[in-house]
């Protein structure tokens, strides 16, 4: 029974890699034949018996590239175009470059649970992990200082903010403080053609973990979460170890911006609950998290973009929550979040959209759970960048953050104040006029 159910979700074409890094001779198709079948690209055909097969253009080139021997070599006339084409097993087809429009070198298209997706050959595949921890959440702005020596990752940051032993930074962020370039500690600048930006922000010291939405400058509205966990610390160390393969040259330019001074500690709450770490683009639980909301869905992010490389995505996830009957509120930054296309689409399905100043952190409250992430709410954040995020399964924390979101949400936008003053004045005048009679 189980195997029948499984086969319902199994497409015959499992993977296509038309343009591997280096030589095209290593290009391949991985496919599954329930019985005898024919693999075709419209120009050449390959016949195969039942089972899972890998057909490569050249067995030796494939072995050199991937480290094992494929069982089939391409027949004459069969080859995988680097500009997209349709490949079929019997009458089941996938058109790469059209069904999914990503034709970069190193892209592998793959099917999972009956739908298509893509990754790059060199992307890692870290699973989602959960641990029960006691910790602390801080809502910034905050004059937060972290004084343990740690491995610290950031898109960019001010050297003054942290006491890092070892730094991992994107090699081409918009602003590299010149101080970073002068540090005498190991600084790893990361760059890759497959991960567009190394945008994560966290620190690991032994088993102590800090995950934040901010670039170690806490002047804007965002989040810091601290806790002890061997398991999550271990995973984050592995992530840094993995990403060291992308170490590149120092940035050529830097800027002398000043650290924004913050007065005040920020609001905080402690918690004991299960915490889930996800690493993007490896595994993305954000859309399911959003569409799971049944009572309330509050999203506070600087901006949103619904462009996505296939069906589904962020907009469908939000609509899912709306369809569940949840109250849905989206709070965007009053400067960066005013994209009419996004706002109109949300308002069309009955989402309340409001604005607040100086939002940088990305947070979602879905019923009694909180999700925070470094990822911006667009395709770079959810699919192309290196990002991480946490889900905290705790009603107290979710309420604390929800209240903070709603408080700022109800704040009067500045541009309405003059008209409000005029309105109150006219009421006063009217009341006086009435008094006379
Ligand atoms: Ca090719
Ligand atoms: Ca072809």
């Amino acid at each position: 029974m189980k195997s029948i159910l499984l086969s319902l979700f199994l497409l015959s074409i499992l993977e296509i890699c038309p343009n591997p890094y280096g030589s095209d001779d290593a290009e391949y198709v991985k496919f599954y034949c329930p019985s005898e079948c024919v693999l075709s690209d419209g120009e050449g055909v390959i016949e195969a018996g039942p089972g899972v097969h890998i057909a490569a253009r050249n067995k030796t080139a494939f072995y050199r590239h991937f480290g094992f021997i494929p069982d089939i070599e391409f027949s004459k006339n069969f080859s995988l175009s680097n500009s997209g084409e349709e490949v079929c097993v019997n009458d089941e087809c996938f058109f790469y470059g059209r069904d999914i429009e990503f034709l970069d070198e190193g892209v592998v298209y793959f099917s999972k649970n009956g739908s298509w997706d893509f990754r790059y050959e060199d992307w890692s595949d870290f699973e989602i992990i959960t641990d029960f921890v006691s910790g602390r959440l801080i809502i910034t702005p905050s004059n937060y200082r972290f004084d343990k020596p740690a491995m610290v990752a950031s898109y960019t940051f001010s050297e003054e903010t942290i006491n890092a032993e070892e730094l991992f930074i994107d090699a081409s962020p918009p602003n590299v403080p010149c101080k970073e370039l002068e540090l005498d500690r190991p600084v790893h600048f990361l760059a890759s053609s497959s991960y567009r930006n190394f945008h994560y922000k966290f620190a690991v010291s032994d088993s102590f973990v800090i995950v934040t939405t901010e670039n170690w400058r806490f002047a804007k509205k965002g989040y810091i979460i601290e806790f002890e966990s061997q398991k999550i610390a271990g995973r984050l160390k592995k992530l840094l170890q993995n990403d060291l393969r992308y170490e590149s040259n120092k940035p050529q330019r830097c800027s002398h911006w000043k650290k924004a001074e913050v007065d005040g500690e920020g609001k905080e709450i402690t918690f004991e609950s299960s915490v889930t770490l996800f690493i993007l683009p490896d595994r993305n639980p954000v859309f399911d998290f959003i569409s799971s909301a049944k009572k309330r869905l509050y999203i506070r992010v600087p901006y949103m973009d619904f462009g996505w490389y296939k069906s589904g995505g962020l907009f469908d996830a939000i609509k899912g929550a709306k369809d569940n009957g949840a109250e849905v509120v989206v709070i965007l930054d009053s400067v960066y979040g005013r994209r009419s296309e996004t706002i109109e689409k949300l308002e069309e399905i009955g989402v309340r959209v409001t604005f607040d100043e100086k939002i940088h952190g990305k947070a979602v409250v879905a019923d009694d759970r909180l999700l925070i992430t470094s990822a911006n709410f667009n395709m770079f954040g959810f699919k192309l960048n290196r990002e991480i995020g946490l889900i905290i399964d705790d009603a107290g924390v979710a309420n604390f953050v929800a209240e903070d979101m709603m408080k700022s949400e109800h704040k009067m936008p500045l541009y309405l104040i003059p008209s409000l003053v005029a309105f109150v004045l006219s009421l006063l005048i009217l009341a006086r006029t009435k008094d006379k009679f």
Side-chain angles (χ1 to χ4, degrees), residues 55 90 155 206 258 262 333:
N90 296 337
Y155 183 48
D206 298 323
K258 286 204 183 85
V262 184
D333 185 85

Side-chain angles (χ1 to χ4, degrees), residues 15 32 51 70 208 249:
E15 283 181 23
Y32 165 74
F208 194 75
N249 297 332

Side-chain angles (χ1 to χ4, degrees), residues 100-155:
I100 292 184
E101 283 184 73
F102 265 86
L103 287 165
D104 294 340
E105 190 179 33
V107 165
V108 180
Y109 307 90
F110 65 94
S111 62
K112 199 175 171 184
N113 302 330
S115 79
W116 280 92
D117 205 339
F118 78 90
R119 62 170 191 270
Y120 285 75
E121 274 180 63
D122 54 313
W123 278 3
S124 60
D125 189 21
F126 287 113
E127 285 176 4
I128 292 169
I129 52 167
T130 298
D131 198 9
F132 193 89
V133 307
S134 48
R136 177 163 80 120
L137 173 137
I138 300 159
I139 301 178
T140 65
S142 166
N143 58 11
Y144 181 81
R145 288 283 185 283
F146 176 56
D147 52 13
K148 292 182 177 133
M151 291 199 283
V152 175
S154 185
Y155 183 48

Side-chain angles (χ1 to χ4, degrees), residues 18-19 24 27 57 80-82:
N19 187 7
D24 267 85
E27 67 184 28
R57 182 194 284 213
L80 298 172
S81 159
N82 292 353

Side-chain angles (χ1 to χ4, degrees), residues 64 164 187 219 258 278 292 300 303 325 405 414 420 427 432:
R64 259 190 241 123
V187 182
K258 286 204 183 85
F278 60 91
S292 76
R300 191 176 80 172
Y303 57 87
M405 286 178 173
L414 287 177
L420 183 75
L427 282 184
R432 285 200 158 193

Side-chain angles (χ1 to χ4, degrees), residues 255-273:
S255 63
H256 288 279
W257 48 253
K258 286 204 183 85
K259 182 167 69 90
E261 285 300 333
V262 184
D263 196 20
E265 291 172 354
K267 287 180 259 182
E268 69 167 80
I269 185 171
T270 55
F271 61 88
E272 275 185 40
S273 71

Side-chain angles (χ1 to χ4, degrees), residues 3 17 47-49 52 72 76 94 108 150 184 211 217 241 256 279 283 301 357 379 397 400 413 419:
S3 65
C17 179
E47 289 174 5
V52 172
I72 301 174
K76 199 166 164 274
F94 174 66
V108 180
D184 55 359
V211 175
R217 298 191 299 149
Q241 215 171 20
H256 288 279
I279 294 170
R283 306 290 165 101
V301 293
E357 292 173 319
M379 196 156 83
V397 170
F400 181 72
S419 43

